[in-house]
Amino acid sequence: MAENLRSGDAQGTSTETTGSIHDERQTSEQSADLPGSTDDSLNSYQKRHRSTPPWVWIVAVIAAVAIAAGGVFAYRHANSSSSVAETSQSISIGLKLAPTNLDIRNEAGAALDQVLIGNVYEGLVARNSENAVVPALAKSWTISKDAKTYTFTLHAGERFSNGDALDSKDVVWSLNSLIDNDYVNAQALANVESVSADGTTTVVLKLKAPDAALLWNLTGRAGLVLDEEAHYDAKTQAIGSGPYLVDSFKQNESLTLKANPRYWGSHQAKTHTVVLRYITDDNAAINALKSNNVQVLAPITANLSSSVSNDGDVVVKAGNDTDKFVLAFNSTGPKTADKRVRQAIRYAIDNKALISSRGGADELLGGPIPSLDPGYEDLTKLYPFNQNKAKELLSEAGYSTSKPLKLDFEYANIYGTEIGDQLRSQLKAVGIDLNVKVVEFSAWLNDVYTNKNYDLSLVDHNESHDFNAWANPEYYFNYDNKQVQELYAKAVSSTSDAAYESYLKQAARLVSEDAPADWLFNYRVTTAYRKSVTGFPLNLNQSLLPLWNVQNKA
Amino acid sequence: MRFLLRRSALLLAALFGMSVLIFIALRVLPGDVASVMAGLNATPARVAALRQELGLNRSYLQQYVDWSGNVIHGNLGVSVLTGRDVGAQILSRVQITFPLILLGLFLACLFGIPLGCASILAPHAGVRQGLHMLALVGGALPALWGAMLFIMLFAKGSGLIKIFPSQGFPDEGWKQPVSACASLVLPALTVGIIVGASIMRYTRSALQEMLASEFVDMGMACGMTRVQAVLRIGLRIVSPQLVSVIGMTFAEMITGVMVIENLFALPGIGSMLVTDVGNRDLLTVQSELFVLAAFFLCIGFAVDVVHRILDPRLKGAALLASAEGMQ
């Protein structure tokens, strides 16, 4: 038995970390004596003195596994995780991008607008699911003939969740402090000359010049009304006048909202507790939905949605949104300053293929304005997928197979690696070498946004009404077109909606023709929810997520 | 006593070196927290104002002195992004990562050591080979794969046998011990399999050498069977090495469980670090990394001390050699 115990394999199996310890321990053992303590045990051994039968080993192995397995099954009757919502009194919703903190004044990012605006903080006006302006704290408003004076009338008896009354003084203070302190989104009120109160329920905004976008801007952070008297840590708490209040916020984990017992308005919360869970990993999110840890998942990756849509209890639906996946070409870049190069890239991109590889929910978008925004028109015919045209333009610009065009493409890792791989292979087909760099968002901010040091870059610009980026030569696009800037200025200062839209339309067409970017697609958010859930908004739910109407009737 | 003094001095020097290294390494990263906070529509003026406000314009030396001074006083600082105390943040995360590692390591030893012994001593070549293959496969298993496998088998909702939650941690944390434990089972199993395989391989190779050593011959001369001798004498002789390996594995796992925490949506140390580095919340990351590094070094320190207790033959020279070997 002794001889055949040695199985003949090499001894290089110990892990890297152990190598050094292992070697030097060997040397000290060579010269060592037997530990004295074995003597006792040797004596006892001599009494027994028999060899172990083979079955003992098999039993030992099985026992080891069985103990482990036993440990596993011991939990079999353990209670389910507490996070499962059983009653209609609570609901859990899985989201993807988490806000870093709750400071709506200083912390940028759509993740914060999404959960706080309309739920915890309210604005003078709000947006509905069709992206149109509707009353909120202001029940009505009038606009003067010259479009320079806006008069808002508040509901009587409005109050904050801490019991403080909300009247015109709070509105004036909120808007003025936003402008004075240059808080996030202050530029939306750049045209405002003064904000004043007239009695307790009337607020008057006077403008330096007409601003057709003002009303819509007030639906976002610019129009929020905060309580001047309330003192709280804005990073971890939020005190507003909405149907919900913040119960607890765990960074990157969850935000728990509870119905506001002092809510003043008509959007009374239908569910007492709403837990918003932030799950970054797509597979983890699907598992959370399947195991009922969340009853809603927004967004769900369209590609993965098939794994839950077979489940009779789950509904999967896509909604419209204003997200534009903008593949920007640096308009002053060494190679991309050449319009022919930019046009060639637009012809070379097969947007339909990109969309179908993502699950097919997204829509084609040919220009800077998405279908939910004023000034939209279908511009997808301007640069259809045409590889021959792309090659022609590239050879005009002086590139060939012997002298290929090499471009750097840098974007943030939140958008995944697939999109970079696809664009690389699509552009390779027309002779463009794309060097793809997927970096952290903070690195992207540094290289592209701040230093404008890039050839190609990709960002999901999710804001609505954000055409101004193309009229701002300082923005990271480096796009400077006087005609577009004039048209945009005319649009903003127009006093009728029709004029506003027609100027925007003209400007958007010009921008698209210039090819400072390719709008890869208009992202449509796919939401999955259990059949027992009602009232969950499907449209625009990544920018604004009104929760007052959501219920889980399980 | 002299040993302890020496070893402590070494520890302190290493901690200082670590703090400098961490500080410098983080300053190499592009981007800063001010631009992250200001977002995509910020004017350069606003970013500059934020920078001033957050003290990012001070010299690096000044920043280092301020930070390290605070750490020496036990104050890890407050995150400029979240407004939370970094120490408290680490504590709340450790409550998840630590039990996960301990449970995983316990399972790993439970699998690894007996199976490692069996893969040497089992009387049938087939069993030995099979176990050896098992160790190799377990060691080569990507964490992601293992985790998915366990989720498919045992997860509530999507598994074949719906037993354990596979997502997240109960809201009340350890106030609900049963569900807290339950939510750690699958991740710990994943950790246990992967780490267990390496412990198994290590046990195996250590015992293999024992097989041929004179200690075992001596034991057999005293009337033991080979198996008894290896288990009784051999295992005892290699136990200090095993302790070192398990100790170092433990320290490694702190960062090693990141992927697993992410998959099971557990709010542990791993996900915290990834987020804070991404946000360039450097002051916070500095403190977090320093705490982890300190922990790592202390484990090394503890392993050396335990080593000495287990193996009284170690004396000055050998000890120093081993201490350097550990670093």
Side-chain angles (χ1 to χ4, degrees), chain B:
Chain B
M1 200 55 226
R2 246 185 54 204
F3 154 72
L4 272 181
L5 278 175
R6 258 196 197 142
R7 197 61 191 74
S8 308
L10 195 70
L11 180 70
L12 287 176
L15 282 176
F16 172 72
M18 266 300 192
S19 71
V20 174
L21 204 66
I22 288 169
F23 186 88
I24 293 171
L26 288 176
R27 294 300 176 285
V28 175
L29 292 172
D32 69 6
V33 68
S35 50
V36 172
M37 278 170 92
L40 273 185
N41 295 313
T43 52
R46 166 143 178 84
V47 178
L50 264 176
R51 247 180 223 131
Q52 188 63 38
E53 201 180 309
L54 299 173
L56 298 174
N57 292 334
R58 292 169 308 160
S59 73
Y60 285 166
L61 185 65
Q62 185 65 45
Q63 290 185 45
Y64 176 79
V65 169
D66 287 356
W67 169 66
S68 56
N70 279 336
V71 169
I72 289 169
H73 290 111
N75 170 14
L76 293 174
V78 171
S79 161
V80 292
L81 266 182
T82 59
R84 290 172 199 245
D85 180 74
V86 177
Q89 190 91 329
I90 294 176
L91 269 183
S92 79
R93 299 294 183 132
V94 160
Q95 283 179 9
I96 293 168
T97 302
F98 220 68
L100 170 61
I101 294 176
L102 282 177
L103 194 59
L105 204 60
F106 169 72
L107 288 172
C109 294
L110 203 71
F111 292 126
I113 296 174
L115 289 180
C117 296
S119 71
I120 288 283
L121 302 173
H124 301 290
V127 176
R128 293 200 301 270
Q129 289 294 341
L131 285 171
H132 186 43
M133 284 306 296
L134 189 75
L136 290 178
V137 170
L141 186 77
L144 185 87
W145 244 78
M148 295 304 280
L149 194 74
F150 279 120
I151 288 176
M152 286 187 321
L153 287 176
F154 301 117
K156 266 190 187 150
S158 55
L160 278 175
I161 315 166
K162 301 174 178 27
I163 317 176
F164 296 112
S166 65
Q167 289 306 313
F169 205 66
D171 291 342
E172 288 80 19
W174 290 103
K175 287 187 192 119
Q176 299 173 293
V178 175
S179 40
C181 282
S183 60
L184 289 182
V185 171
L186 290 184
L189 267 177
T190 314
V191 175
I193 293 279
I194 291 162
V195 176
S198 79
I199 289 181
M200 182 170 162
R201 284 201 311 271
Y202 188 82
T203 312
R204 186 173 185 280
S205 63
L207 284 183
Q208 195 140 37
E209 283 166 34
M210 278 295 128
L211 269 184
S213 71
E214 68 261 31
F215 308 119
V216 171
D217 292 344
M218 179 71 105
M220 288 167 69
C222 297
M224 294 188 196
T225 65
R226 179 176 289 267
V227 171
Q228 287 168 338
V230 168
L231 289 184
R232 278 297 184 123
I233 302 170
L235 206 51
R236 181 168 300 168
I237 289 176
V238 299
S239 68
Q241 296 169 44
L242 273 182
V243 170
S244 311
V245 172
I246 291 167
M248 290 329 273
T249 309
F250 180 76
E252 269 172 34
M253 280 161 75
I254 295 170
T255 47
V257 294
M258 267 189 206
V259 176
I260 289 167
E261 282 178 358
N262 195 21
L263 269 170
F264 289 97
L266 289 172
I269 290 272
S271 56
M272 172 179 80
L273 268 177
V274 171
T275 314
D276 290 341
V277 172
N279 288 329
R280 296 289 183 270
D281 191 354
L282 295 191
L283 188 78
T284 310
V285 178
Q286 258 157 233
S287 298
E288 285 163 357
L289 284 178
F290 183 75
V291 170
L292 288 183
F295 186 76
F296 203 100
L297 291 169
C298 291
I299 292 255
F301 179 80
V303 163
D304 277 8
V305 173
V306 171
H307 222 137
R308 201 180 160 85
I309 294 166
L310 279 177
D311 196 344
R313 294 165 307 160
L314 277 179
K315 286 285 175 286
L319 170 92
L320 263 186
S322 86
E324 275 149 25
M326 299 293 314
Q327 296 306 321

